[in-house]
Amino acid sequence: MKKQKGGIYKRFLKRPMDFILSLIAIIILSPVFILITILVRIKLGSPVLFKQKRPGMNEKIFTMYKFRTMTDEKDRNGELLPDDVRLTKFGKLLRSTSLDELPELFNILKGDMSIVGPRPLLMQYLSLYNEHQKRRHEVRPGLSGLAQVNGRNAISWEDRFNYDVEYVDNVSFIGDWKIIFITIKKAIVREGINSETAATMEPFNGNEREEQVYEK
């Protein structure tokens, strides 16, 4: 296994920085939280927050919070309609500006997540990862990460996992701040929000061959 960088920062400084920055952000952005809460309640109904179990560091399960962006519309059989049908114009706006992810600041404050790290993915993907891909869980999942500033939902799963593992092996103070600044820039220009073939991103269906291990 590749020796990881940023030992002192990763072990002793990253978590305090996450706590302080997330607390400051929550205080400064509190008017935005209130406004979005009201708008989501009016346009999409209740509940305002979308809550979902996600695997965190060492695959420990936590509840991730986001602002709701979809309706609960169902077909005649009681099944939820496809994402692209339930994702409203207002919901698309929240996603394209990343405002739907603001409640994750509370996950960071609690210690479930970090400001920078691999994005927390769905529970059902856990059994599909190969050994290389599992390494993304060696650090706390992040509000943004190396994959997000290199294409976000517009890149392939292969590239996304490679970027995640590259981040794990190269955690650093300077690297984290570079990702933070690039993330802010990309959020402003709304770059890489969706894939070319899906409303958000295609589901991960596993690897065709277990021996597939990608190095970057």
Side-chain angles (χ1 to χ4, degrees), residues 156-172:
S156 68
W157 280 108
E158 175 185 339
D159 288 338
R160 187 177 293 120
F161 288 133
N162 282 338
Y163 280 126
D164 288 344
V165 176
E166 180 180 338
Y167 174 79
V168 170
D169 287 333
N170 296 280
V171 177
S172 71

Side-chain angles (χ1 to χ4, degrees), residues 101-143:
E101 297 179 359
L102 285 181
E104 291 171 39
L105 288 169
F106 289 97
N107 287 122
I108 298 172
L109 196 66
K110 290 169 56 182
D112 298 325
M113 293 177 60
S114 177
I115 292 176
V116 179
R119 286 293 296 163
L121 299 177
L122 299 177
M123 293 287 294
Q124 57 261 39
Y125 295 168
L126 282 174
S127 62
L128 302 177
Y129 298 145
N130 59 34
E131 292 303 312
H132 176 70
Q133 295 160 351
K134 285 180 180 179
R135 296 199 56 222
R136 69 191 314 277
H137 293 293
E138 293 178 12
V139 296
R140 285 186 178 86
L143 183 65

Side-chain angles (χ1 to χ4, degrees), residues 125 153-157 160 194-205:
Y125 295 168
N153 293 339
I155 61 176
S156 68
W157 280 108
R160 187 177 293 120
N194 298 325
S195 71
E196 296 180 353
T197 58
T200 50
M201 70 169 71
E202 295 87 354
F204 176 58
N205 297 313

Side-chain angles (χ1 to χ4, degrees), residues 8 12 50 59 78 81 93 107 134 138 143 158 171 189:
I8 294 177
F12 303 110
F50 171 76
E59 300 185 5
L81 294 175
L93 175 63
N107 287 122
K134 285 180 180 179
E138 293 178 12
L143 183 65
E158 175 185 339
V171 177
V189 300

Side-chain angles (χ1 to χ4, degrees), residues 50 52 54 66-70 81-88 91-96 98 100-101 119 121-122 124-125 148 151-157 160 191-204:
F50 171 76
Q52 192 174 56
R54 297 288 177 98
K66 299 178 73 171
F67 279 120
R68 181 179 176 183
T69 58
M70 294 185 183
L81 294 175
D83 289 356
D84 58 348
V85 176
R86 296 187 296 117
L87 184 59
T88 65
K92 289 179 180 178
L93 175 63
L94 289 180
R95 290 193 178 194
S96 67
S98 297
D100 64 314
E101 297 179 359
R119 286 293 296 163
L121 299 177
L122 299 177
Q124 57 261 39
Y125 295 168
Q148 282 60 52
R152 196 173 176 178
N153 293 339
I155 61 176
S156 68
W157 280 108
R160 187 177 293 120
E191 180 180 313
I193 304 300
N194 298 325
S195 71
E196 296 180 353
T197 58
T200 50
M201 70 169 71
E202 295 87 354
F204 176 58

